[in-house]
Amino acid sequence: MKSIHLIENTTLLWHDLQQKCSLLQVEKTNPLEYAQFALMETDQAVRTIKSWVITHDFDCWEHEITFFKELKPKFIAKFMYYSKVINVLSSLPASGTKFKKKLFDTEFEHLHYFAVENTEFISYFRRKATYLDSKYFLRFKYDLDVKLAMDMHSYDERFATSHDHLVATILANDEFEFFLKTQLHQLKENTVSEVTSPNSLHWTASKAALTELIFALHHTNCFNGGNADLSQTVRWFENKLEIDLGNYHKTMTEIGNRKTNQTKFIQLLQDNLNAYLEALEN
């Protein structure tokens, strides 16, 4: 395959990947599921271009630079982006706005750290500079006078240059930053909606009291005919009440270790309900 044909085929493959991901976005309404399927499509595309390139000798350095500076990084960036999205969405707690925000803030910190560590190259790339392209984007030509990735020797040198992975990371981080900002905006909107909603309820008793109530309901087989898992029941309450119960097993152990009136919240409920019923009779 001639180098110009390799460039053309890679460009066509990129457009094909974009179309497939667009269709997946319509078919898969769940963001996590979409990212997983899109990652698989991207992985297949990366494997394809790798099979083309590892045995290819570019006929001129211009074509090689084009491939490693402009084409390959777009594929790798998508792979990195979807991997990051999957990691975040699968790690989000079931409830608790502040816990979700903390996770997003941590990801923003990672992006900031990368930007600080690679300021010089990011500036070079964003300015569309070319004077160091022959050092950055040609295979088998690592220049020890420029900053290199710490894990450079882990790369397949037939399919990598010293800096194409950095370009991919920049592109991935740009898209991932937009994703995080969108998630954060939605989180703020949901929070405002919950606060202003007249039907919004917030648990204002102690977490131990809620844990005691959940265990009582669970062990009375109140959910799904007694077929619901305890963890499923706890997560449901956490999600609906926007609360993090933490290590609820430890909380129950502490409740069990009370010297007197172990189930004091359940007793309080009973006392208050009885008082209400007595008041109705009088």
Side-chain angles (χ1 to χ4, degrees):
M1 185 189 307
K2 293 183 178 180
S3 295
I4 186 62
H5 294 152
L6 173 64
I7 299 296
E8 291 172 350
N9 289 343
T10 304
T11 302
L12 289 174
L13 184 62
W14 170 248
H15 292 317
D16 181 61
L17 176 62
Q18 287 183 304
Q19 289 179 351
K20 288 180 178 178
C21 289
S22 295
L23 289 174
L24 281 172
Q25 199 163 23
V26 174
E27 295 173 3
K28 309 296 181 182
T29 56
N30 181 295
L32 178 57
E33 186 180 11
Y34 160 68
Q36 291 171 326
F37 276 87
L39 180 65
M40 288 189 287
E41 290 289 351
T42 305
D43 178 68
Q44 184 58 51
V46 171
R47 291 175 185 273
T48 298
I49 62 171
K50 182 176 182 179
S51 69
W52 294 343
V53 172
I54 58 175
T55 58
H56 183 79
D57 291 324
F58 286 92
D59 51 29
C60 65
W61 62 265
E62 289 92 345
H63 284 149
E64 186 167 357
I65 288 175
T66 296
F67 180 84
F68 284 105
K69 183 179 183 180
E70 300 176 15
L71 295 178
K72 178 199 168 187
K74 293 194 291 188
F75 290 85
I76 304 301
K78 280 295 182 184
F79 187 91
M80 296 169 69
Y81 167 71
Y82 289 126
S83 298
K84 288 172 180 283
V85 169
I86 291 170
N87 182 57
V88 167
L89 293 181
S90 60
S91 301
L92 278 178
S95 63
T97 299
K98 67 178 181 180
F99 300 104
K100 293 178 181 179
K101 185 178 183 302
K102 182 179 179 180
L103 177 61
F104 295 146
D105 288 342
T106 299
E107 294 298 332
F108 277 120
E109 289 175 5
H110 293 161
L111 296 180
H112 177 71
Y113 178 79
F114 173 82
V116 171
E117 286 293 302
N118 297 279
T119 301
E120 185 177 340
F121 180 75
I122 291 174
S123 174
Y124 176 87
F125 175 72
R126 296 207 188 282
R127 288 186 290 109
K128 301 185 184 301
T130 59
Y131 60 92
L132 291 176
D133 281 2
S134 60
K135 295 179 181 290
Y136 290 155
F137 303 111
L138 293 179
R139 293 178 296 181
F140 316 112
K141 293 182 184 283
Y142 300 137
D143 188 339
L144 298 180
D145 290 332
V146 300
K147 185 177 181 180
L148 300 175
M150 296 291 290
D151 56 349
M152 181 189 69
H153 291 294
S154 299
Y155 302 158
D156 184 343
E157 62 181 4
R158 299 170 301 171
F159 188 55
T161 66
S162 63
H163 284 68
D164 68 88
H165 193 75
L166 270 180
V167 173
T169 306
I170 293 170
L171 297 176
N173 285 357
D174 286 347
E175 190 170 4
F176 187 54
E177 182 179 5
F178 179 79
F179 166 81
L180 290 175
K181 288 180 178 178
T182 301
Q183 292 292 309
L184 198 56
H185 178 70
Q186 292 176 352
L187 187 62
K188 290 179 180 178
E189 283 191 336
N190 292 339
T191 302
V192 171
S193 176
E194 289 171 1
V195 170
T196 58
S197 172
N199 298 320
S200 180
L201 293 176
H202 302 280
W203 183 263
T204 53
S206 69
K207 292 183 179 181
L210 180 57
T211 302
E212 185 180 326
L213 175 62
I214 292 172
F215 270 72
L217 293 171
H218 174 75
H219 289 287
T220 313
N221 298 327
C222 293
F223 303 104
N224 297 348
N227 294 317
D229 292 335
L230 175 61
S231 60
Q232 179 186 0
T233 304
V234 171
R235 298 307 172 212
W236 186 87
F237 274 92
E238 287 183 323
N239 184 48
K240 294 301 180 182
L241 297 176
E242 285 285 320
I243 191 171
D244 180 15
L245 293 176
N247 189 341
Y248 49 89
H249 288 292
K250 180 181 178 182
T251 302
M252 277 307 299
T253 300
E254 293 171 351
I255 291 174
N257 290 335
R258 290 171 180 167
K259 299 293 184 181
T260 59
N261 196 11
Q262 291 178 319
T263 56
K264 63 180 182 180
F265 184 67
I266 301 299
Q267 185 62 53
L268 178 63
L269 294 178
Q270 181 179 342
D271 292 343
N272 287 337
L273 182 57
N274 285 334
Y276 170 75
L277 294 175
E278 289 175 4
L280 288 179
E281 295 176 355
N282 297 330

